[in-house]
Amino acid sequence: MEEKPKRVRQKPSLGLALVPVVLTLIAIGVQIFYFGDFTPHIPLAIGLAITSLVGVKLGFRWKRIEDGAFHVINVSLPSVSVLILVGMIIGVWIASGTVPSLIYYGLLLLSPAFFLAAAMLICAVVSVSLGTSWGTVGTVGLALVGIGAGFEIPIYWTAGAVVSGAFFGDKVSPLSDTTNLAAAVTGNDVFSHIKNMMPTTIPAMLIALAIYLVVGFTMIDDQAASFERIDAITASLDEHFTISIWLLLPAVLVIGLAVKKMPPIPSLFAGVMAGAVTAMAVQGVGLHDIVTYANYGYSIETGVEAMDSLLNRGGIQSMMWTISLILIALAFGGALEKTGCLETIIKAIMAKVRSFKGVQTSAIATSFATNLVAGDPYLSVALPGRMYAPTYRGLGYSTLNLSRGVEEGGTLMSPLIPWNAGGAFVISVLGLGIGEGNVENLLYIPLAFACWLSPLIGIIYAQTGLFSPKATDEERALWDKQGEAIASSEALGAAADAAVTSPTPASSSS
C-alpha cells in the first residue's frame, strides 16, 4: 500500500500574509462604518475563510488549519467560562439585592465630583484582588454605571473610568492569567514582571486620576447632579428591594476567596450560589425564578426608566452575543497563527529594527496590532512574547522589558478594540448599546486614560532608555542553563531565525 505523499507547506510571503488581514479589516470597516451595523461576527468569519484559502494555497490541509483555530479557542475556554459565570452573577446579584444595594449606598455616599476618580480606584482595588478585569467590570463596574446614571454622568465617562481601573488591576495582579502568561512566555518570574511594570503603570494611573478629578470638579460638580433624580432612584430601589449593607456579603465572599488565592471559576460560582441563597432568604425569590434569572437575566418594571434599563440584564444568554464574537475572533486569530501569516508579519517588522528602542516600540505595537487583527488578548501577549525574546537576549537587554511591552500593547489595549474579546465584553456588560446605534458611547475608548497612557509612556521610555534594564549576569546564566534562544549579531536585523515555537500556555480568566 503506497503512502500518501506529504504536502510541502510553504511560508507565506509578506504580501500574501497581509491579504487576509487587510481584507478582514476592510470588511469590518464596511460593516461598522458604511452599513452602520456594529456586528463584526460575519466579517471575522469571512476573514477566517480567506485565511483558510491562503493556508490551502500554502500547502496546509484543512485539518491543520482547523486544529490551529480550535487550539486557540480551547486555550480561551476558561475565559469563556468566566463570561458565563459573570452573566449568572449579574442576574442573580440583581435579584438578591446585592447590585441594588451597591447602587443605593453609592448614590448616598459618593460625591458626583469625586465619582469618576473613585470609580477607577474602586475597580483597581477589586481587580487586583480578583485577578480578573472581566469579573470586576461585570459586578462592581455594573453597579458604578448605575450610580453614574443617578448622577447624570454620561455612561461613556463612567465606562472609561471603570475600564481604566479594572484592566489596571488585571495587569498587576499576581492572580491574573494575562500577567502570568506575559511572564511565562518571556521566561520571567511573575513578581519581577509586576515590579518592572510599575514605572509605566503608576504614572499612567496618577495622570488618569488627575484627569478624572479635574473633570469631576469642572464638568460634573455636586450642583450639576439632579438630586430629585437621585431621590427617585433610591426610593424606587427601596420600594422594590430590601436594601441592606449585609446584602454586600456575596461580593465580599468572592473578593475574600480571591485573596485566599482560590481559582477564579470556583470563586465566581460561589458568588452565584451566595447570591441565590440571599435572593431566596431576603428578597423572597423562588428557586425557579433564580434559575430563570441566572439563565435569561433579571426582569423588573420599577416605573423609573433609568433603573429599568440598568436592572433588566444579566444571565447566561446575555453573554452569547459576546461569546460568539469571541469564538469567531479567536478562530480567525488561530488560523492566522497556524498558517504562519502572523509570524511572517512580525518577522518583517523585526527585520527593520536593529536597536533596543526600535525593538521595544515594535513589541508594544505588534501586541496592539495582534489585538486589532486577531481579536485575542492571549495571542497578543503570547505570540510577540515568544517571537521577540531571542532578539532582546541578543541585544543584551532583560526580557522584563518585553514582558512589560506585551502587557501594555496586549492586556491594556484589549478593551479598547470593540471587536476584541475585551472590548466586546465591556460593550455588552456595561450596556453601552453600540449595536443599537449608540455609537457615541464608543467615547469610552479615549476616556479609558490609564489603558492607552501606559503603552505611550512605555514607548517614551524605549526612546529615552529610561527604566529599560539590561540583562543581569544572573539572567544570562539562566538563559544558558535553560538553553534559551539568543539571536546572533548577524540575525539582529533579520530576526527570521530567532523565532520560538513553544506552545501558548493555557489561561484561566481575563
Side-chain angles (χ1 to χ4, degrees):
M1 183 176 177
E2 293 185 5
E3 292 185 4
K4 291 183 179 180
K6 292 184 178 180
R7 288 196 179 188
V8 178
R9 292 189 292 274
Q10 302 173 340
K11 292 286 186 181
S13 65
L14 179 60
L16 186 59
L18 287 170
V19 167
V21 173
V22 173
L23 292 181
T24 302
L25 290 177
I26 290 173
I28 291 173
V30 169
Q31 176 79 346
I32 294 175
F33 300 109
Y34 182 75
F35 293 120
D37 183 359
F38 184 77
T39 49
H41 300 63
I42 302 305
L44 287 169
I46 292 171
L48 174 58
I50 295 171
T51 307
S52 300
L53 291 175
V54 169
V56 171
K57 176 178 174 58
L58 293 170
F60 286 84
R61 297 183 185 277
W62 164 247
K63 185 66 171 64
R64 287 189 64 84
I65 300 171
E66 183 183 74
D67 288 345
F70 286 165
H71 168 70
V72 178
I73 290 175
N74 183 63
V75 168
S76 73
L77 286 180
S79 296
V80 172
S81 301
V82 168
L83 271 177
I84 291 171
L85 285 167
V86 168
M88 295 171 66
I89 276 183
I90 292 171
V92 172
W93 280 16
I94 293 173
S96 69
T98 300
V99 170
S101 293
L102 282 169
I103 296 172
Y104 184 91
Y105 290 116
L107 287 170
L108 294 181
L109 299 176
L110 289 176
S111 162
F114 287 98
F115 171 72
L116 291 175
M120 185 189 75
L121 292 176
I122 290 168
C123 286
V125 171
V126 173
S127 191
V128 170
S129 302
L130 293 179
T132 165
S133 52
W134 290 6
T136 302
V137 171
T139 53
V140 177
L142 177 62
L144 288 166
V145 165
I147 297 168
F151 291 147
E152 296 187 322
I153 296 173
I155 191 173
Y156 45 79
W157 272 107
T158 304
V162 166
V163 169
S164 284
F167 283 82
F168 155 82
D170 191 284
K171 176 187 172 189
V172 300
S173 172
L175 303 176
S176 167
D177 55 351
T178 51
T179 302
N180 283 278
L181 177 61
V185 297
T186 56
N188 290 303
D189 169 72
V190 67
F191 291 102
S192 299
H193 164 61
I194 291 172
K195 181 180 178 181
N196 193 58
M197 286 193 293
M198 291 301 122
T200 56
T201 300
I202 293 174
M205 287 294 287
L206 290 176
I207 294 170
L209 183 66
I211 294 173
Y212 291 136
L213 284 171
V214 170
V215 170
F217 280 97
T218 58
M219 294 174 54
I220 317 170
D221 59 33
D222 289 342
Q223 301 304 317
S226 171
F227 291 99
E228 182 179 340
R229 177 186 173 89
I230 294 172
D231 289 341
I233 292 173
T234 53
S236 177
L237 290 172
D238 210 11
E239 177 184 353
H240 293 89
F241 297 93
T242 297
I243 303 294
S244 169
I245 195 72
W246 296 106
L247 295 179
L248 305 184
L249 285 177
V252 173
L253 172 66
V254 172
I255 294 174
L257 290 173
V259 170
K260 292 288 187 181
K261 298 185 178 180
M262 286 288 291
I265 291 176
S267 298
L268 291 173
F269 188 73
V272 174
M273 297 305 295
V277 171
T278 303
M280 289 187 288
V282 179
Q283 307 294 347
V285 178
L287 178 60
H288 182 258
D289 289 330
I290 292 292
V291 174
T292 301
Y293 297 149
N295 189 34
Y296 294 107
Y298 190 74
S299 178
I300 191 174
E301 292 184 11
T302 66
V304 179
E305 184 179 351
M307 278 297 91
D308 289 348
S309 63
L310 180 71
L311 298 178
N312 289 319
R313 64 177 64 204
I316 293 174
Q317 300 308 316
S318 71
M319 295 287 116
M320 287 302 138
W321 187 95
T322 305
I323 290 173
S324 61
L325 175 58
I326 289 172
L327 293 180
I328 296 170
L330 294 182
F332 173 53
L336 283 173
E337 183 183 21
K338 176 60 71 173
T339 55
C341 290
L342 286 180
E343 183 179 339
T344 295
I345 295 169
I346 291 176
K347 286 179 178 178
I349 296 170
M350 292 169 66
K352 301 296 182 182
V353 293
R354 298 173 181 270
S355 64
F356 169 76
K357 64 175 68 175
V359 171
Q360 182 70 9
T361 303
S362 297
I364 296 171
T366 301
S367 293
F368 171 67
T370 306
N371 249 329
L372 190 71
V373 172
D376 177 19
Y378 302 110
L379 202 59
S380 70
V381 169
L383 189 62
R386 64 179 186 251
M387 292 289 291
Y388 278 91
T391 303
Y392 280 80
R393 299 186 190 108
L395 289 170
Y397 277 83
S398 172
T399 52
L400 287 169
N401 297 292
L402 174 59
S403 63
R404 184 177 71 200
V406 296
E407 276 265 63
E408 290 165 350
T411 303
L412 288 181
M413 298 306 288
S414 162
L416 308 188
I417 301 170
W419 55 87
N420 186 279
F425 178 77
V426 167
I427 289 169
S428 174
V429 168
L430 296 185
L432 300 184
I434 309 300
E436 289 75 46
N438 300 315
V439 183
E440 71 279 1
N441 288 338
L442 285 176
L443 285 172
Y444 87 88
I445 295 171
L447 300 180
F449 299 106
C451 290
W452 58 264
L453 278 171
S454 190
L456 183 62
I457 294 170
I459 291 173
I460 293 172
Y461 288 162
Q463 300 305 309
T464 60
L466 293 171
F467 300 106
S468 303
K470 291 195 173 184
T472 62
D473 291 339
E474 289 78 9
E475 281 183 278
R476 293 175 185 274
L478 186 61
W479 296 344
D480 291 337
K481 181 180 179 181
Q482 296 180 344
E484 299 284 8
I486 302 175
S488 64
S489 57
E490 294 80 8
L492 285 177
D497 297 327
V500 180
T501 55
S502 58
T504 304
S507 56
S508 58
S509 70
S510 179

